[in-house]
Amino acid sequence: MGVNTPGRIHREQTEHVTIVGDLLGGTSVMRTCAEKYLPRQKFETADDYKTRLNGATLYPAYKETIGSMRGRVFADRPLRHDIPEWIKNEVFPDVDRNGQTIDIFLPKLFDNALAYGHVGVLVDSPEFDSTPTLAVAKEKKLHPYYVMVNKNQILDARAEDGTLVHLRLAFEDEVRDDADEFLTTTKRTVRVYDKVLANGVPNVQVRLYVEKKTPTDGQVEYDLVSTRLMAVPEITFMCFSTGFERTFVSKPPLIDLAYLNAKHWSLQSSYDTMCMIAMIPILTLIGADASTNLLIGSKSAVKISNPDGDLKYTEHTGAAMRTGREALDKLKEEMRESGAKLLLPQLTSANKTATQASEEAQRENSPLATMVVDFATSFRELLRLTCMWRKEALPEGARIELRPNLKPDFAPTDTAQVLINAADRNLISFQTVFDELQRRSIIQNTLTWEEEKSRIAKDPSGYLIRSLEVKEKVQDARNEEGQDSNPLPQSQNQ
C-alpha cells in the first residue's frame, strides 16, 4: 500500500464528502458532474442534453443553511476567559501565519465541520532555540499556528488508549518551477505523523513525502524528502465533530438536506425544460392539400380549399407545469424543514422529575446547542495543544464563551410585528423592540439604542418622537395615580 492510499476511515466517508463538496461548489461544479446528478433521458440527444445542462442552475439550499446556522452560532463575538497573554498577543492576531485572525478562523472552522461532519486542526510551530520575546516573535512569526484540515485530507488515523499515535494527512502545495520563475505547479504532499520514543522520551516523528511522476510511464510516485522530530510529546492535532459516529468518522448532520438539494437540482432542470417547450404554441393546419400555400406573417393570409379545414394554435393546458411547480415548492418546504431540525429541541425521556423538567426547560438542548458546547470544548483542547509548544500548562479557566442565537424563529418579520404591537400597548419598551429586531438581523448590529433615539429625535415630522413622549407621559400619569399600567378589561378582572 502506497503512502497516498486512503485508509478505511477515508474510504467509507467518500460518498458524503463528494456530494457535500459538489453542492458547496455551486452551479459550475454541479454542471461538471453532468449525469451524476442530472440523468440524461432515454431519447435525449447529446446536443439537447448539453443545452439543458448548461441552462441548469442550483438552488443553494445546503450552502445557505450552513451559512445561516454559522451566523446563529457567531451572532455575537465570542468572549475570551483566562487566555494566556502570549496566545492573545502572538497567535490570535495571526493564527495561520498569513494574517488570518482568530475571529475569522473560528467561524470557518465551525462552517466546515457543520458541512462535512468533522474538521481537523493541526497545531504546528517554527523551531527556535529559546522562548522568543514578544517583539521577536511577532517580527519573525515564531509562534504556534493553526492549519485547518478538511475531512477528505485525513487519509488515515489510529488511536491507542485515547491517544493519537498515527496520522496521515494529504495537502496540495504550490511549487515554483526551477526552469521558469513565473510558472507554478500544484503537487500533492503527504505528511505522516507517528508518536515515538526518542531516547526514552515521548516525541513525534514527521515524514514528508512529495509527489513525483516517473519519466518512463508517467506513473505517480511519492519520494520521502525529509524526516524530523517535533519538540512535543504528542501529535498536536485536534478534531471537532458535529456528527460523531466514532473516532475520525462522522456523518454530516445535514446530509439529508444535501440529498434533497441534489434532487431539486434535477427536478428544477426538468421543469425548466418543460416550461421552455410548453410556452411555445404550435400552429396546427387541418385539411390542407397540395394547393395550400402556407404563409405566416402580419400581412399574410392562408387559403384552405377544404371546407372542413381549420388553422389554429395548439397550446399546453398547463396542468403538467402546475404539477411540476407544486412538486418543486413541496421539495423546498422539505429542505426548509430538514435544515430547521438543528434548532428544534431533542426528544428526551418522558419519565423525569419536576426538577429535571425545570432544568431542561432552562437550557438549550437542540442539536445546534449541543454543537456549540462541543465547539467550546474542542477550542479548549486547541489551546492546550498550543501551550504544549511553549511547554506550558493551560490555565484551568482558559476558554471561550460563545453567544449564539438558538431561538427557532422561522419567520422573523412576523414576530417583529408582534413585538411592535406589544410596544404600542405598553406591554414592552421600545428599547426591547429595538434589541429584538437587532437579534433578528432586521436592524444592523452596529447601531445602539442611544444612536437610534437620536435619529428618531431628528425625524422631520416629529411623529415618532412625539409618540414616545406621549407614551412616557401617560405612563408617568398612571404611576402617579397608582393605576395598573396594563389594566385588564372589566370582564377579566372579575
Side-chain angles (χ1 to χ4, degrees):
M1 184 179 74
V3 70
N4 190 48
T5 305
R8 178 186 172 188
I9 62 170
H10 184 281
R11 295 193 302 269
E12 65 183 66
Q13 301 179 94
T14 300
E15 180 183 344
H16 290 168
V17 170
T18 301
I19 187 172
V20 168
D22 293 339
L23 288 171
L24 294 180
T27 297
S28 58
V29 173
M30 292 293 285
R31 286 178 180 176
T32 60
C33 295
E35 295 187 42
K36 182 178 180 180
Y37 301 111
L38 191 63
R40 180 177 169 183
Q41 303 301 323
K42 186 175 181 180
F43 298 106
E44 189 174 24
T45 65
D47 289 341
D48 288 342
Y49 177 76
K50 185 177 180 181
T51 300
R52 181 161 69 96
L53 179 64
N54 291 337
T57 53
L58 176 68
Y59 177 69
Y62 192 81
K63 187 174 184 177
E64 289 183 353
T65 301
I66 296 294
S68 174
M69 295 301 167
R70 181 236 304 134
R72 284 179 171 272
V73 171
F74 293 91
D76 288 308
R77 185 179 180 183
L79 300 177
R80 306 167 186 174
H81 301 282
D82 298 333
I83 306 294
E85 288 298 322
W86 70 269
I87 293 181
K88 289 194 295 186
N89 295 329
E90 298 176 38
V91 181
F92 282 2
D94 185 15
V95 295
D96 60 351
R97 301 185 77 201
N98 285 311
Q100 186 172 208
T101 67
I102 191 67
D103 292 323
I104 297 174
F105 181 80
L106 290 183
K108 290 182 179 179
L109 189 67
F110 188 91
D111 198 274
N112 195 314
L114 183 59
Y116 288 95
H118 71 257
V119 65
V121 178
L122 178 68
V123 184
D124 209 337
S125 176
E127 296 183 0
F128 44 83
D129 296 331
S130 59
T131 303
T133 63
L134 177 60
V136 173
K138 282 191 172 183
E139 179 185 358
K140 299 184 178 181
K141 298 187 177 182
L142 298 179
H143 59 75
Y145 60 93
Y146 305 151
V147 180
M148 190 184 304
V149 180
N150 297 329
K151 188 177 184 177
N152 64 332
Q153 291 180 260
I154 305 174
L155 298 180
D156 199 11
R158 187 173 70 255
E160 295 178 1
D161 299 327
T163 302
L164 187 62
V165 297
H166 173 78
L167 180 66
R168 253 192 312 137
L169 304 177
F171 295 91
E172 301 287 340
D173 296 330
E174 289 290 327
V175 180
R176 190 175 301 280
D177 195 309
D178 295 334
D180 188 343
E181 63 174 314
F182 302 108
L183 179 63
T184 58
T185 57
T186 302
K187 284 192 176 183
R188 187 176 176 89
T189 62
V190 177
R191 301 182 197 176
V192 182
Y193 297 81
D194 290 295
K195 188 174 181 180
V196 297
L197 286 176
N199 298 322
V201 179
N203 219 309
V204 177
Q205 182 190 71
V206 186
R207 287 172 287 164
L208 177 62
Y209 293 82
V210 178
E211 174 187 60
K212 184 188 73 171
K213 291 184 178 179
T214 57
T216 53
D217 54 5
Q219 295 295 319
V220 176
E221 296 180 351
Y222 284 83
D223 287 343
L224 177 61
V225 296
S226 68
T227 301
R228 66 184 177 94
L229 289 178
M230 297 171 62
V232 285
E234 61 183 85
I235 301 175
T236 51
F237 185 81
M238 183 277 295
C239 186
F240 167 59
S241 177
T242 57
F244 179 84
E245 292 191 336
R246 66 179 193 273
T247 306
F248 290 102
V249 176
S250 64
K251 179 181 179 182
L254 293 173
I255 189 62
D256 291 334
L257 173 59
Y259 285 116
L260 288 173
N261 204 172
K263 179 181 178 181
H264 184 276
W265 159 263
S266 177
L267 188 60
Q268 180 72 59
S269 175
S270 299
Y271 178 77
D272 291 343
T273 302
M274 179 173 59
C275 289
M276 184 175 61
I277 296 173
M279 284 189 302
I280 304 175
I282 301 173
L283 185 62
T284 305
L285 178 59
I286 303 173
D289 53 27
S291 63
T292 303
N293 186 20
L294 181 62
L295 295 175
I296 301 176
S298 59
K299 297 181 180 180
S300 303
V302 178
K303 180 180 179 181
I304 305 175
S305 57
N306 189 336
D308 296 325
D310 193 9
L311 185 66
K312 59 184 179 181
Y313 279 102
T314 302
E315 295 183 291
H316 202 286
T317 62
M321 289 187 291
R322 186 163 52 252
T323 302
R325 171 48 58 188
E326 291 173 354
L328 283 172
D329 291 341
K330 182 179 179 181
L331 190 54
K332 279 188 176 181
E333 185 61 31
E334 290 177 3
M335 289 192 289
R336 195 174 296 113
E337 292 176 358
S338 181
K341 288 179 180 178
L342 290 184
L343 295 170
L344 300 179
Q346 295 173 314
L347 296 178
T348 56
S349 173
N351 300 322
K352 49 191 170 186
T353 65
T355 302
Q356 289 174 329
S358 176
E359 289 176 352
E360 289 188 6
Q362 293 177 16
R363 71 171 186 263
E364 299 287 351
N365 67 336
S366 65
L368 190 62
T370 303
M371 294 175 196
V372 169
V373 175
D374 293 343
F375 188 78
T377 303
S378 297
F379 184 77
R380 178 170 168 80
E381 173 65 8
L382 189 62
L383 291 176
R384 186 186 73 83
L385 297 175
T386 305
C387 288
M388 191 178 293
W389 280 100
R390 294 282 176 93
K391 296 179 174 55
E392 296 181 5
L394 180 67
E396 185 66 27
R399 61 187 175 89
I400 60 165
E401 179 185 347
L402 297 175
R403 297 184 289 171
N405 171 20
L406 301 175
K407 303 299 181 184
D409 187 359
F410 304 122
T413 54
D414 294 344
T415 56
Q417 187 59 50
V418 174
L419 291 168
I420 294 172
N421 292 340
D424 287 339
R425 297 184 60 187
N426 283 333
L427 296 174
I428 57 176
S429 68
F430 274 96
Q431 184 171 356
T432 299
V433 175
F434 178 85
D435 293 340
E436 288 298 313
L437 292 180
Q438 268 193 332
R439 193 172 65 82
R440 287 161 173 77
S441 298
I442 296 176
I443 297 177
Q444 295 181 33
N445 288 331
T446 55
L447 285 177
T448 66
W449 171 239
E450 296 301 324
E451 292 173 342
E452 194 62 25
K453 279 206 303 184
S454 175
R455 291 184 177 185
I456 293 174
K458 296 176 182 178
D459 182 67
S461 64
Y463 169 77
L464 294 175
I465 190 62
R466 284 202 306 273
S467 176
L468 284 170
E469 291 174 347
V470 168
K471 280 182 177 290
E472 290 174 355
K473 290 179 180 178
V474 170
Q475 186 63 43
D476 292 340
R478 285 176 174 172
N479 292 337
E480 291 176 0
E481 296 173 5
Q483 295 181 7
D484 187 355
S485 59
N486 296 299
L488 295 172
Q490 186 175 3
S491 59
Q492 294 184 18
N493 282 326
Q494 294 177 350

